[in-house]
Amino acid sequence: MVGHTFVVEKLCPICEKMTRVVKTRSRIPVTRRDEDACTHYRDFNPYYYTVWVCEHCGFAADETTFTTKMPDRYLAILRSVLLSRKINIPFTETRTLGNATTAFRLALKFLDILKGKSSKKAKYAHQLAWIYRDSEEHEDDEKEFMLKAAQFYEIALAKEHFPIGELTDNATIYLIAAIYYRLGDWQKATSFLSRLIGDQTVRQREPRIYDKARDLWGEIRASKKNPVKKGIILK
Ligand SMILES: [Zn+2]
């Protein structure tokens, strides 16, 4: 939407041409936040723009990946994939749902080709689910990518060193629980929440996560008394 975005030129790390990308302004009024950290904004969805796409070669990734020096072997793999064919993704300042989901699916595909980190795959899959959530007509797509996000977060927990950015391991456990909760899998949600609630160090060191876990636990107990909600993605 005009007013929330602006266009800048960035060097594509793959084809090394300048490409236009869209950035979003930071002061957008928040209307609500879901259990799994999805934030809703008034009349605008900044998640549509978190994956950049090169208008020349079709490389897609978030800003950090786009602007951080990539190992040479990754560059070689992506160049062999991208520069030999024509992926035609025209630049657009205002993205449709289709433009946004294509960008995320490409970013996930490239990460897969590079055997990239599960934490990054989780982030892309989770935000893609949020984009589908916002449209309210793609519940199956939302569920598909919520489940993928939970699975990628689980692999990240097992294999990666936390914190990753600002994301701690406990925050990740909470996110997995929140995703399963929204998917109606209360058993899995409860089992992840119990890892937080049963741990005194979480209560002491990350009281905010502990409180959110306890609140969600209470929510599940209350919902069990009202089974109509089970299995439905809560809006
Ligand atoms: Zn490029």
Side-chain angles (χ1 to χ4, degrees):
M1 181 174 288
V2 177
H4 291 310
T5 59
F6 57 101
V7 179
V8 293
E9 294 219 333
K10 293 284 173 179
L11 188 71
C12 169
I14 308 306
C15 70
E16 299 180 302
K17 291 179 187 163
M18 295 301 281
T19 179
R20 288 168 291 175
V21 297
V22 175
K23 293 187 68 133
T24 53
R25 294 182 203 283
S26 52
R27 284 185 202 163
I28 305 166
V30 170
T31 53
R32 71 188 160 92
R33 276 197 185 85
D34 298 334
E35 303 84 2
D36 65 341
C38 176
T39 308
H40 299 266
Y41 301 85
R42 192 189 302 151
D43 303 328
F44 183 70
N45 188 342
Y47 300 125
Y48 270 43
Y49 299 94
T50 50
V51 169
W52 292 357
V53 180
C54 171
E55 61 187 308
H56 308 292
C57 71
F59 176 61
D62 62 7
E63 179 171 356
T64 310
T65 308
F66 234 88
T67 55
T68 309
K69 172 94 181 84
M70 217 183 278
D72 286 344
R73 65 178 195 285
Y74 286 0
L75 286 174
I77 293 168
L78 288 174
R79 282 177 184 149
S80 77
V81 170
L82 281 166
L83 303 185
S84 59
R85 69 195 74 183
K86 191 97 191 97
I87 299 179
N88 194 12
I89 310 277
F91 174 77
T92 167
E93 180 167 358
T94 305
R95 281 184 172 171
T96 61
L97 177 82
N99 296 144
T101 57
T102 299
F104 274 84
R105 284 171 185 265
L106 279 172
L108 275 166
K109 187 179 152 182
F110 297 140
L111 210 50
D112 211 36
I113 290 169
L114 296 178
K115 299 182 176 59
K117 285 196 170 150
S118 297
S119 54
K120 179 79 88 160
K121 289 183 190 170
K123 189 182 131 190
Y124 287 155
H126 203 177
Q127 290 194 1
L128 179 50
W130 293 345
I131 286 172
Y132 284 123
R133 182 179 305 169
D134 200 44
S135 82
E136 294 185 350
E137 285 165 19
H138 294 83
E139 202 172 285
D140 289 345
D141 293 306
E142 181 192 344
K143 280 184 176 172
E144 179 191 339
F145 284 96
M146 290 271 279
L147 188 59
K148 282 190 173 149
Q151 290 164 344
F152 288 138
Y153 281 130
E154 285 186 63
I155 298 169
L157 271 183
K159 294 193 173 169
E160 294 179 36
H161 187 71
F162 282 82
I164 296 167
E166 290 180 359
L167 192 67
T168 64
D169 51 355
N170 290 324
T172 306
I173 294 169
Y174 174 79
L175 277 180
I176 297 168
I179 289 172
Y180 283 127
Y181 166 72
R182 291 188 66 91
L183 288 171
D185 191 339
W186 292 343
Q187 202 179 347
K188 276 202 164 154
T190 307
S191 100
F192 279 96
L193 289 176
S194 67
R195 288 168 63 175
L196 300 171
I197 294 171
D199 186 342
Q200 278 306 310
T201 57
V202 179
R203 185 175 204 167
Q204 285 152 12
R205 288 186 198 159
E206 292 178 90
R208 209 177 58 86
I209 299 287
Y210 181 87
D211 288 347
K212 277 163 67 171
R214 206 194 42 197
D215 288 351
L216 193 56
W217 181 283
E219 190 71 36
I220 291 171
R221 282 178 65 104
S223 301
K224 277 181 178 162
K225 294 174 189 158
N226 177 20
V228 178
K229 280 163 94 183
K230 189 171 164 106
I232 300 163
I233 289 193
L234 306 168
K235 294 289 181 190

